[in-house]
Amino acid sequence: SQLVGLIPSASSLTGPITYDNSSLTFENVEMTTTATSGIETNGNNTNDAVTLKNSTLNVPDGFGIYFPSSGTLTIDNSKINAKTMGVQVCAGSLSINAGSAITVTGDAVPKTENDGAIQDGAAISIVNRTGYKGLDEIKVEGGTFTANGTNAAVKAYDWDNTNKTESDFTQAAKVSVSGGTFSSAVKEEYCATGYIPTANTDGTYGVKAGKYVAQIGSKKYETLADAIRLAAKGKTITLLANVTENVEITANKNLTLDLNGFTLNGGTEKGKPALKVDNARVTVKDSSEAQTGTIMREDTAANSG
């Protein structure tokens, strides 16, 4: 009925007693507790480390791991089964690899106190929290992550301790998801460089190698051809990167192509222009400040503009 792991902090007449540079490692261990939490560190501590390796942590009545201290939390080929939250980092770094699994079976619990874990129902919870030591790299390379119902598998947000309110996450650049299977979609800004979100055929979600090159409204596309094919009448297609494609706009479409400072390159294949307009109305513009947008063929680049 107690935590299975704790790196504490305490108070004394002379000030706080911290347990800096402390570590807990569980290897080839199966742990089960009916307590509210499984493993915790304290936000006063510096450079603590918690590692689960080839292990299982079961917390059927509460949350798995709460890590508010600076340092490292590592989930290595391990499983966490919890009710109200899987793992939560409010400072330091998190690393999860393939073979790991975090499953949360319940929903969030309203936050009433100023400190302690925020039981938000997520499998992976990342919180930029006022008064804490700050987040480092959050890296997910693989694994299976399941939240209950419509709860987010990966939930990231800023948290105001005073008002007990969450707001938009401002540390997305520190999150790097390059693998894994998730019960809800992974936001694009959480994907590692060179990866984009994807929906799996079985109703789960993941990430895959790729990049977006065009956008219509809030919808992004991996090819300009796909954006053109799916664009409704009167829409604007905005380039997000340099592309090498041979695209054709036909079928009475009425579109605007915003080069946005990027280049549409038609390559070198004979008879294949970068852009062909047939029986359509197309407005080409460049909304970039530098006005560097270009439509060209690679073999005639000197004469393109």
Side-chain angles (χ1 to χ4, degrees):
S1 63
Q2 303 298 315
L3 287 83
V4 299
L6 173 65
I7 302 177
S9 178
S11 298
S12 71
L13 294 176
T14 58
I17 302 171
T18 59
Y19 292 80
D20 299 332
N21 307 304
S22 298
S23 65
L24 286 170
T25 299
F26 299 90
E27 184 170 1
N28 300 315
V29 176
E30 182 167 353
M31 302 158 276
T32 300
T33 176
T34 56
T36 302
S37 61
I39 298 170
E40 294 190 35
T41 66
N42 191 283
N44 290 322
N45 295 338
T46 300
N47 198 37
D48 287 345
V50 173
T51 300
L52 267 63
K53 183 174 183 180
N54 304 323
S55 294
T56 299
L57 171 62
N58 299 308
V59 191
D61 298 326
F63 56 89
I65 300 177
Y66 173 53
F67 194 89
S69 57
S70 68
T72 58
L73 172 58
T74 303
I75 312 299
D76 180 1
N77 193 42
S78 294
K79 295 177 174 57
I80 298 173
N81 301 303
K83 182 179 182 181
T84 59
M85 176 265 288
V87 298
Q88 183 170 91
V89 286
C90 301
S93 65
L94 170 65
S95 177
I96 307 177
N97 64 7
S100 298
I102 301 176
T103 302
V104 176
T105 58
D107 295 320
V109 176
K111 184 69 172 167
T112 57
E113 67 279 4
N114 290 327
D115 60 0
I118 305 167
Q119 301 176 65
D120 56 20
I124 301 173
S125 175
I126 308 161
V127 187
N128 181 40
R129 198 165 175 176
T130 54
Y132 286 63
K133 299 181 187 300
L135 294 167
D136 292 323
E137 184 180 24
I138 310 298
K139 183 167 63 175
V140 181
E141 296 178 325
T144 302
F145 308 97
T146 306
N148 184 48
T150 59
N151 296 333
V154 179
K155 184 176 174 67
Y157 51 97
D158 286 9
W159 180 263
D160 185 323
N161 282 324
T162 302
N163 297 317
K164 302 181 187 65
T165 55
E166 65 179 68
S167 57
D168 291 341
F169 190 51
T170 59
Q171 303 292 309
K174 296 181 178 179
V175 182
S176 174
V177 180
S178 59
T181 301
F182 304 82
S183 61
S184 62
V186 178
K187 292 185 177 181
E188 180 188 349
E189 56 264 36
Y190 303 158
C191 294
T193 302
Y195 289 82
I196 58 176
T198 187
N200 302 322
T201 57
D202 62 357
T204 61
Y205 300 86
V207 299
K208 66 178 182 179
K211 69 176 183 179
Y212 294 120
V213 301
Q215 182 171 355
I216 303 173
S218 61
K219 177 68 175 176
K220 296 181 179 180
Y221 300 87
E222 295 179 70
T223 68
L224 177 57
D226 281 345
I228 292 171
R229 177 173 56 85
L230 296 171
K233 182 178 179 181
K235 293 296 184 179
T236 296
I237 302 171
T238 303
L239 282 185
L240 302 175
N242 296 328
V243 295
T244 300
E245 292 186 46
N246 307 104
V247 295
E248 185 174 358
I249 304 178
T250 61
N252 297 310
K253 283 189 176 285
N254 183 351
L255 302 172
T256 296
L257 175 61
D258 183 358
L259 299 175
N260 193 30
F262 296 104
T263 296
L264 170 57
N265 187 335
T268 60
E269 186 177 350
K270 186 176 181 180
K272 292 285 190 178
L275 174 64
K276 181 180 179 180
V277 179
D278 184 10
N279 194 31
R281 181 183 180 90
V282 179
T283 301
V284 177
K285 70 175 187 177
D286 183 1
S287 64
S288 69
E289 183 177 352
Q291 295 285 289
T292 53
T294 303
I295 299 175
M296 57 173 274
R297 274 180 58 91
E298 195 167 325
D299 53 0
T300 57
N303 298 317
S304 299

